Amino acid sequence: MRDSSHSVHDRGAPELGGSGSAPAQGVAASRVVPPQGVAASRVVPPQGVAAASQVPAQGRGQVPAQVPAQGRARSRPVAGVAHRAAASDGGVPEGVIQGDLVLDGLASDTLRLDALRPDTLRLDGLAPEAAPIASGGGSPSPSRTFHRPVVTELRLSAFGVHRAAVLPLSPVTLLRGPSGSGKSTVLRAYEALARLGAGAGLGEVLPDAADLVPERARPDAQGRRGFRIGCTVDGPAGPVHLDVAVQAEPRLRIVGERLTSGGRTLLTTALRDPGRNTVQAEWHTAGSTPVTRAPLPDDLLGTALLPLRVAGKTKGQLEVLAAAEQVVVGLRSVFACDPRPAGMRAPVPVGEGRLRRDCRNLAEVLHRTANECPRRHARLAAMAGAGCAGPVTALGLREPEEGMVQAVLERGARLATPLGRLGEGELRYLALALVLLTGPGVLAVDPLAEVPEAMRTLTVLADGLDRGLDARQLRELLALAATICANGHMRLVGTLGEGRLGEPGAGWAPGVTVVDLGRDRS
């Protein structure tokens, strides 16, 4: 495991298009270990990208009416992309132009979510190609090619306690810090981006968005406040950067979005008329129609809608589609896990065996793994022996009544122990080990049917990873995570309490990165 002596760049948010302010203090991180087991390969064509009839631009000064979703010839869209079209309102009327929307989300800095002006639209405070990364690592270099789309960086500005923070993500990333340092908020931002990428509406994803704006943030002249969240997704198309600006007050909406790759802007959206439920979008495909403009809903992620709007016939269109699909696939492959021991103790009905977020159906999933994957089931039993009190010879199953199942720890010559009699730490330990040893086919995640399994990497989000665990259990879990995540099929982002793992070096699992959010925070 790398130490956490290197600092994450925590930039002050400058007035966009202007000079930067002094960086904020208080976020430190370790070097990022390059993903293990990820071989370089040539860029492969995007899988499952929907081809739609592109709306041709009617000249750069006009906005075409949106083609209704129904009746467009297209192939299968990326799974989870919303099939919802913006209102066919004919575009933005002449003379109704909202200039620079100002979201003053910080105490002393102004966040400008500029309209459709690539020269000044700087949602992350810096041009994408100039954005700094953590010392010694961060987002992989553009020369590295990943087989599977993976999120390698998160960016948060005026989101909770985070002020222009850039957080690099490795195969196993642990966020450590005291209460109030923003560990859970980072996972909240990741999951919000994931759900938006799956086509969920903003109100469903962030119903409490106003509570995420820092208390010190003052509104602009129109009473508006908001925040920015973004990420970098590496994959066959190279690093692709997504930045989203959210207005939280007085009305929740996405007011700006930018998708870039290789220094090139692929998509921008901006609020032009506050009276409409749409933003004005531009996607840049080069060729005979270099820019296409159309309105998109202000509560949906525009990047997730691109496969329904871009035909995919020219080289430029294929590049836009490949980047958009890479972001959607990388974000959607997420399982947020929060084991709740109180719900794991009683027998449960035998069902399809897909592990839920709170792991209350743990016994049901163990019933499935025992029958379908004895090797993994035996490996989990070995983990139980390493982390549970007393000898453990196997993970057994009982049926106290028809249609119900109960898991037990077999103790050899001793009486078996029902899981319901284990401590909370032991139950959480077993549940987290099961998550790491299984995958999308067992975890209750929305499957990406259009994307081959070999092209997907599942990211597990584990808030309070160390909650209730002793040092031995945490050490065993991290060793397992480092081994599992080294093959590239799974990644882990978890949070730890302050002081867990001690100082760098002593018994840390190799390949694990610790980001210390509490260091030097003023």
Side-chain angles (χ1 to χ4, degrees), residues 32 39 42 132-133 183 195 202 218 222 224-225 305 315 320 358 371 384-385 390 428 438 498:
V32 172
R42 63 183 179 84
I133 58 177
K183 305 183 299 293
R195 295 181 63 189
L202 183 62
R218 63 183 186 270
Q222 286 74 43
R224 295 171 296 184
R225 301 196 311 159
L305 297 174
K315 179 182 177 181
V320 170
D358 60 5
N371 288 286
R428 282 184 53 82
T438 54
E498 185 179 26

Side-chain angles (χ1 to χ4, degrees), residues 486-505:
N487 64 21
H489 290 282
M490 183 176 286
R491 291 165 76 89
L492 172 67
V493 183
T495 67
L496 301 176
E498 185 179 26
R500 292 307 298 261
L501 300 181
E503 291 303 314

Side-chain angles (χ1 to χ4, degrees), residues 5 98 102 111 178 192 210 220 253 320 415 418 425 516:
S5 59
Q98 175 92 8
V102 179
L111 298 169
D220 68 357
R253 65 201 315 181
V320 170
L415 290 175
D516 196 344

